[in-house]
C-alpha cells in the first residue's frame, strides 16, 4: 500500500482524521495480532506446564520404582555373605548411587536422557543378577508391579 | 546355470568347491568356523544350528542342534577353546551349547533381552560374552569356571536396533553396529562398561563389522552400499596435548560404487588380509589392499567378484582361520557354499 506509506510519511506527527480511517484495518489487524499472541503465549505456557508435569511425573515414577526396588533388595541381602552376594550388593549400590546423583531439579540438564538410559541399563543388569523380572506398567493408571 | 567362478580384474579367482542345502526351505543366516578351522556352524530360519565337518572333498552334517530355540537362530559363535557354541535367536534368548562326545548339549539359556537377539560374540579372553538386540541394548556377560553366566553390563547407547557385535582380536574392546547408522565401541572403565567412541559416517543401517588381524583397523558394511575402513590412531594427533590414552578412530577409506545392494556382512581374513563382502545382490566380492598405498590412506582393489554366488541375498561370509583362501558363505536360499580364493602367483 504505497499510497498509505506516503501519506504516513507526510503527516508524521499530526493525528490526521483521514489517516485514522485509512489505517483502521491495519491498526485493528495489528492490535488483534498482539492480543492473540499474548493469549497464545499464556495458553502455551499452561499447556507446557501440564505436559512437563506429566512427563516429569512419569520419569520420577519410573526412577522412584527403581530406587524402591534397589533399597528393598539391599535390605534383603544385607546380611548375606559370599562373593555372589557381594557382586549383587555392589551392583545395587551402584544403581542407588546413580539414582541419588540424578539432578531431578534440572530439566535442562544436558545429559538427562543419557543418564536415564544408564539407570535403566543398570536396573536391567541388577534384575538379571537377582533373577527377578519385574513387569512395570507406568502410566496414569495405578502402577502394577508383578514379580 | 550359475557361474561358479569369476575373476575381477583378471588377477585373482574365487572358485566354488562345494554347495550344501544346509537349511532347506528356509534362510541360512550365519556361518562361523570353529577356532581350529575344522568345523563350520550354520544357523537359520528353521530354528536350528547345524555343525558341518569335512569328509574328503565335501562337507557333511556332524550335528543338528534343534531343540534350543522357538524362533529363527540369527547368529552362532564358537568360544575360543572351541568347546562351546553360542546361538542368538529371535526368541529373545541366547543358548550356550557344550560339545560332548555325542554332539552338543544346551547347558544354559541366557535371558534378559526384550525381543530378538541379533548377535553374539565371545571375547578374546574367553571370559566374556556380548549379545545385542532389537531392544537397542548390548549386554555383556561374564562366565566363570563353573559355566555360570552373569550379566555385568547393559549398555543402552544405540538409539535403534543393534545388528551385530564383534570383539577386538586381542583387547577387551567391543564394537557394535546398528540401524541408527553408527558403530559404537565399548571398553571397561573403572569397573563399568562404557561407550567410549561412536563412529559416524554411514548413511544407513550398519549391518556387519570385522577387525583386521592386528586389531588396528575395523571394517564396517552398510545398507548404504559402502564398506568403510576405520583406523585407530594410537599415537594421537601431533601438537595436541593428549590427556587420555584413548585411541581415536577415524574413517580412512570408503569402498563405494562396487555393490549394487545392501552389504550384509564383511569378513577380514587374519591370514591374508583379504576382505570379503556378502551382498543383497547375491554376489560375493573380494578386496585387497594395494601394497604401495600409505598406511593411513589405504586403497583397496576389487580382486574377485562372483555375481551369482547364491540364488538370493548373501547373508554372511567367513574366512577359515587356519586354511588361507577358504571362504564359507550362506544365503536366504538356505544354502551354504565353500569357495577357494586364489591370488595370482606372480609378484
Amino acid at each position: 500500500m504505497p499510497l498509505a506509506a506516503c501519506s504516513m510519511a507526510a503527516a508524521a506527527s499530526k493525528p490526521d482524521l483521514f489517516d485514522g480511517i485509512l489505517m483502521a484495518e491495519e491498526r485493528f489487524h495489528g492490535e488483534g495480532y498482539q492480543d492473540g499472541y499474548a493469549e497464545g503465549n499464556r495458553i502455551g505456557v499452561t499447556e507446557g506446564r501440564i505436559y512437563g508435569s506429566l512427563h516429569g511425573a512419569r520419569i520420577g515414577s519410573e526412577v522412584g520404582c527403581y530406587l524402591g526396588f534397589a533399597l528393598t533388595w539391599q535390605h534383603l541381602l544385607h546380611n548375606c555373605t559370599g562373593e555372589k552376594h557381594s557382586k549383587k550388593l555392589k551392583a545395587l549400590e551402584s544403581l542407588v548411587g546413580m539414582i541419588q546423583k540424578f539432578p531431578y531439579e534440572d530439566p535442562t540438564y544436558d545429559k538427562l536422557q543419557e543418564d536415564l538410559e544408564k539407570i535403566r541399563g543398570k536396573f536391567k543388569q541388577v534384575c538379571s543378577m537377582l533373577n527377578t523380572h519385574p513387569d512395570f506398567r507406568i502410566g496414569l493408571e495405578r502402577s502394577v508391579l508383578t514379580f | 546355470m550359475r557361474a561358479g567362478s569369476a575373476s575381477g580384474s583378471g588377477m585373482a579367482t574365487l572358485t566354488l568347491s562345494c554347495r550344501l542345502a544346509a537349511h532347506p526351505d528356509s534362510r541360512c543366516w550365519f556361518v562361523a568356523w570353529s577356532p581350529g578351522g575344522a568345523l563350520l556352524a550354520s544357523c537359520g530360519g528353521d530354528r536350528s544350528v547345524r555343525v558341518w565337518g569335512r569328509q574328503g572333498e565335501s562337507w557333511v552334517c556332524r550335528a543338528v542342534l534343534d531343540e534350543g530355540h522357538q524362533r529363527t537362530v540369527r547368529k552362532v559363535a564358537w568360544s575360543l577353546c572351541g568347546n562351546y557354541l553360542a546361538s542368538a535367536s529371535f526368541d529373545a534368548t541366547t543358548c550356550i551349547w557344550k560339545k560332548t562326545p555325542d554332539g552338543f548339549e544346551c547347558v544354559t539359556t541366557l535371558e534378559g533381552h526384550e525381543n530378538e537377539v541379533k548377535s553374539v560374540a565371545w571375547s578374546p579372553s574367553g571370559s566374556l560374552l556380548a549379545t545385542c538386540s532389537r531392544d537397542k541394548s548390548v549386554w555383556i556377560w561374564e562366565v566363570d569356571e563353573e559355566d555360570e553366566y552373569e550379566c555385568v553390563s547393559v549398555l543402552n547407547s544405540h538409539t535403534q536396533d543393534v545388528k551385530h557385535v564383534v570383539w577386538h582380536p586381542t583387547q577387551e574392546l567391543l564394537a557394535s553396529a546398528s540401524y541408527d547408522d553408527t558403530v559404537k565401541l565399548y571398553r571397561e572403565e573403572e569397573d563399568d562398561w562404557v561407550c567410549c567412541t561412536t563412529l559416524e559416517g554411514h548413511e544407513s543401517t550398519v549391518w556387519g563389522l570385522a577387525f583386521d588381524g592386528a586389531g588396528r583397523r575395523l571394517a564396517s558394511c552398510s545398507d548404504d552400499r559402502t564398506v568403510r575402513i576405520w583406523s585407530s590412531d594410537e599415537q594421537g594427533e601431533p601438537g595436541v596435548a593428549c590427556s587420555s590414552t584413548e585411541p581415536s578412530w577415524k574413517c580412512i577409506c570408503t569402498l563405494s560404487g562396487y555393490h549394487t545392494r545392501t552389504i550384509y556382512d564383511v569378513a577380514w581374513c587374519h591370514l591374508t588380509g583379504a576382505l570379503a563382502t556378502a551382498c543383497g545382490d547375491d554376489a560375493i566380492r573380494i578386496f585387497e589392499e594395494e601394497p604401495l598405498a600409505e598406511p593411513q590412506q589405504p586403497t583397496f582393489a576389487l580382486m574377485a567378484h562372483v555375481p551369482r554366488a547364491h540364488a538370493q541375498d548373501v547373508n554372511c561370509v567367513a574366512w577359515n582361520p587356519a586354511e588361507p583362501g577358504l571362504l564359507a558363505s550362506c544365503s536366504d536360499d538356505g544354502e551354504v557354499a565353500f569357495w577357494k580364493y586364489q591370488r595370482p602367483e606372480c609378484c
Side-chain angles (χ1 to χ4, degrees), chain A residues 87 90 117 121 124-125 128, chain B residues 114 150-152 154 156 191:
Chain A
K87 279 194 194 170
K90 187 159 176 240
E117 287 295 353
K124 287 213 157 240
Q125 184 208 339
S128 176
Chain B
E114 291 170 29
E150 183 175 75
C151 176
V152 295
V154 173
N156 290 322
D191 270 355

Side-chain angles (χ1 to χ4, degrees), chain A residues 53-73:
Chain A
S53 161
L54 264 174
H55 207 67
R58 186 168 292 145
I59 293 178
S61 181
E62 182 186 354
V63 178
C65 261
Y66 299 155
L67 184 62
F69 175 89
L71 291 173
T72 306
W73 274 99

Side-chain angles (χ1 to χ4, degrees), chain A residues 83-91 124-131, chain B residues 108 110-111 127-130 139-144 147-154 193:
Chain A
E83 228 225 283
K84 273 258 130 71
H85 285 117
S86 80
K87 279 194 194 170
K88 291 172 186 171
L89 280 167
K90 187 159 176 240
K124 287 213 157 240
Q125 184 208 339
V126 164
C127 284
S128 176
M129 292 172 96
L130 296 172
N131 207 10
Chain B
T108 313
L110 303 178
E111 295 178 340
S127 63
L128 299 174
L129 188 76
W139 287 49
I140 300 186
W141 308 80
E142 190 170 60
V143 54
D144 65 18
D147 288 350
E148 296 276 313
Y149 288 78
E150 183 175 75
C151 176
V152 295
S153 191
V154 173
W193 283 83

Side-chain angles (χ1 to χ4, degrees), chain B residues 18 20 38-39 52-62 338:
Chain B
C18 184
L20 303 168
L39 298 171
W52 308 87
R54 215 172 209 153
Q55 194 167 78
E57 286 303 308
S58 68
W59 296 79
V60 292
C61 184
R62 290 280 154 80
F338 297 85

Side-chain angles (χ1 to χ4, degrees), chain B residues 4-17:
Chain B
S5 69
S7 34
S9 48
M11 287 167 61
T13 57
L14 187 67
T15 324
L16 180 71
S17 61

Side-chain angles (χ1 to χ4, degrees), chain A residues 48-123:
Chain A
R49 192 194 198 97
I50 293 172
Y51 183 72
S53 161
L54 264 174
H55 207 67
R58 186 168 292 145
I59 293 178
S61 181
E62 182 186 354
V63 178
C65 261
Y66 299 155
L67 184 62
F69 175 89
L71 291 173
T72 306
W73 274 99
Q74 272 188 322
H75 189 74
L76 288 171
L77 294 177
H78 178 61
N79 291 319
C80 295
T81 52
E83 228 225 283
K84 273 258 130 71
H85 285 117
S86 80
K87 279 194 194 170
K88 291 172 186 171
L89 280 167
K90 187 159 176 240
L92 282 165
E93 200 181 300
S94 175
L95 177 58
V96 170
M98 287 164 90
I99 293 172
Q100 286 172 339
K101 242 180 40 188
F102 190 74
Y104 299 98
E105 313 295 317
D106 182 10
T108 62
Y109 174 49
D110 60 350
K111 290 209 187 145
L112 192 113
Q113 271 307 118
E114 199 177 305
D115 282 6
L116 259 180
E117 287 295 353
K118 288 200 174 128
I119 289 172
R120 287 175 185 138
K122 184 55 73 175
F123 172 70

Side-chain angles (χ1 to χ4, degrees), chain B residues 86 94 113 117 119-123 128-132 138-141 165-167 174-175:
Chain B
T94 305
H113 279 297
V117 189
S119 188
V120 61
W122 298 84
S123 73
L128 299 174
L129 188 76
T131 58
C132 67
V138 170
W139 287 49
I140 300 186
W141 308 80
V165 278
V166 71
W167 288 93
L174 182 71

